[in-house]
Amino acid sequence: MAVDVYHEGERAAQRRAGLLDQGGLSGRAIRTEIPEVAQKFLVQQPMVVLGAADAAGRMWATLLTGRPGFLYAEDTRTVTIEAVTGPDDPLHDRLTTPAPVGMLAIEPSRHRRMRMNGRAVPTDNGLHVKLDQVYSNCPKYIQKREYHWEPATTPGRPHHSRTLTSDQQRWITNADTFFIATSDREGNADASHRGGNPGFIQVVSPSVLRWPDYVGNAMFNTLGNLEVNPQAGLLFPDWQTGALLHLTGTAQTNWTPANAATTPGAERLVDFTITEITEIPTAVPLRWSTPTPSRFNPPVLQPDNT
C-alpha cells in the first residue's frame, strides 16, 4: 500500500477545493531523496528561501545568499548551506539550534523552483539539513529576472513595528512576488512562492493583507498547513536594493466561491493579519533586473479611486 505523503490539513484543503483525486496524482512527485538533476540545479543557485518558527512559535521566512556552490547536496538526503543570517534577521537566534525548516530554491531566470523540507542543524558557517521531502513545482507565476552582485553590501539598521508604514504598503502593493512560510500541527515547516502582476496583493489595512490563491499543483501544502496551524511568515524582497521585509502573523483561507469571483484568476482568497514586522535595508548582496512578467499571471483589477 502506498504511503500517503499528505497530512490531515493538506487532505482537508484538497477536499474543500474538490481536488482530492488530483492531489493524489501530484503527491507522486514528492520524494525523500534529491534526484541527480535537482542536485545540479541546487549548486547553480545564488539564493535559497528558508522558513521556520522562532522560539515563540511565530513563523518567519528569510533569504540566504551566496555565490553558486554555497548551496549543495552532500548526498541524496542532505543539503548544506554555507551562509548564515545576519544578527538582526528574525530567525538568527532560532537557527543557532536544531530546527525544522522549509526551503525553496528558486531560479527566476529559468522559471524553476524546488522545495525541500527537513531538519536543520547549525554548522560553523551555515546549516546542515536532513531532508524529509523533496519536490519541484510548476513554473507558473515566476517573473523572469537576472541577478548580479553588490559585494560591498552592508545590512542597514532594522526597523521594527506592528503595522505597515505608508512606504511599506506601497512596497507590497507594487510587489509581483513574495514568499510564505507555514508549518503543520507538528511544526514541520514549509516555504513557498507566490507571484502575480503588481497589485495582486491587496493592503486591506496597515495590519491586514489579502491575496488571491491561483490555480496550482493541487498539493495544497501551504493552505493545508493553514488548515491546522494559522501561523505564517511572509517575505517581500526588494529586488533593486536588496532590502528584505519580513512579516509574521496569522493567515486564513476564504473558501467562499462568491468572494473569489471578485478577483480575476482567484480560486480562493487568503487574508493575513500582521503581528510583527522587521524591515532590513540592503540585507542581501543580490540585485535583480527589471522583470518579465509570467505569462500565467492573471490580470489585476485597478482600484476605483473615483
Side-chain angles (χ1 to χ4, degrees):
M1 181 178 178
V3 176
D4 191 347
V5 297
Y6 296 117
H7 63 68
E8 58 176 317
E10 292 164 330
R11 284 300 188 190
Q14 291 165 11
R15 283 193 297 271
R16 297 185 76 164
L19 296 172
L20 189 60
D21 291 338
Q22 188 174 343
L25 293 174
S26 297
R28 297 174 186 173
I30 299 177
R31 306 166 178 254
T32 57
E33 297 186 341
I34 310 171
E36 183 178 355
V37 64
Q39 295 181 41
K40 293 179 180 178
F41 168 75
L42 289 179
V43 80
Q44 297 169 351
Q45 304 313 311
M47 70 176 186
V48 62
V49 178
L50 187 145
D54 66 13
R58 300 170 301 183
M59 293 300 299
W60 296 92
T62 194
L63 193 65
L64 293 171
T65 63
R67 299 285 184 175
F70 91 107
L71 171 69
Y72 60 93
E74 290 204 2
D75 54 49
T76 60
R77 296 290 299 273
T78 310
V79 167
T80 290
I81 305 173
E82 294 183 349
V84 296
T85 57
D88 297 311
D89 189 285
L91 287 175
H92 176 76
D93 291 344
R94 183 66 182 95
L95 295 178
T96 61
T97 60
V101 298
M103 298 180 294
L104 174 72
I106 183 166
E107 187 176 29
S109 63
R110 298 177 65 183
H111 303 285
R112 299 197 298 174
R113 53 182 161 168
M114 173 182 167
R115 285 158 84 167
M116 300 163 285
N117 302 329
R119 302 295 187 275
V121 176
T123 64
D124 290 341
N125 63 342
L127 296 170
H128 198 68
V129 186
K130 287 290 186 182
L131 300 178
D132 300 318
Q133 292 185 326
V134 179
Y135 52 105
S136 296
N137 284 154
C138 70
K140 289 180 179 176
Y141 321 121
I142 300 176
Q143 326 314 331
K144 185 175 182 179
R145 287 179 162 92
E146 305 286 345
Y147 76 88
H148 69 275
W149 287 89
E150 291 288 344
T153 295
T154 301
R157 183 177 180 180
H159 172 73
H160 302 284
S161 64
R162 295 186 182 276
T163 57
L164 296 165
T165 66
S166 56
D167 286 343
Q168 291 168 342
Q169 291 180 48
R170 282 190 291 271
W171 181 343
I172 291 171
T173 299
N174 292 328
D176 58 40
T177 300
F178 71 95
F179 303 100
I180 179 168
T182 58
S183 71
D184 65 15
R185 202 188 301 277
E186 285 71 43
N188 299 302
D190 178 78
S192 188
H193 158 275
R194 293 292 183 271
N197 287 330
F200 85 108
I201 311 156
Q202 180 184 354
V203 178
V204 179
S205 76
S207 60
V208 176
L209 305 180
R210 177 177 296 148
W211 64 84
D213 189 63
Y214 298 140
V215 64
N217 54 25
M219 290 180 174
F220 290 92
N221 308 111
T222 297
L223 299 192
N225 283 342
L226 296 178
E227 287 290 296
V228 295
N229 180 4
Q231 296 292 325
L234 308 187
L235 176 69
F236 290 87
D238 186 318
W239 303 99
Q240 295 182 321
T241 71
L244 296 179
L245 181 61
H246 307 264
L247 312 179
T248 191
T250 57
Q252 183 176 19
T253 307
N254 184 327
W255 295 91
T256 304
N259 292 333
T262 63
T263 302
E267 300 284 308
R268 54 207 65 84
L269 302 175
V270 180
D271 287 340
F272 178 79
T273 301
I274 299 166
T275 56
E276 190 169 337
I277 300 166
T278 297
E279 178 184 343
I280 305 177
T282 58
V284 296
L286 287 180
R287 304 291 184 272
W288 297 79
S289 63
T290 301
T292 300
S294 168
R295 63 185 178 88
F296 296 102
N297 290 348
V300 171
L301 293 178
Q302 298 302 314
D304 185 358
N305 297 319
T306 60

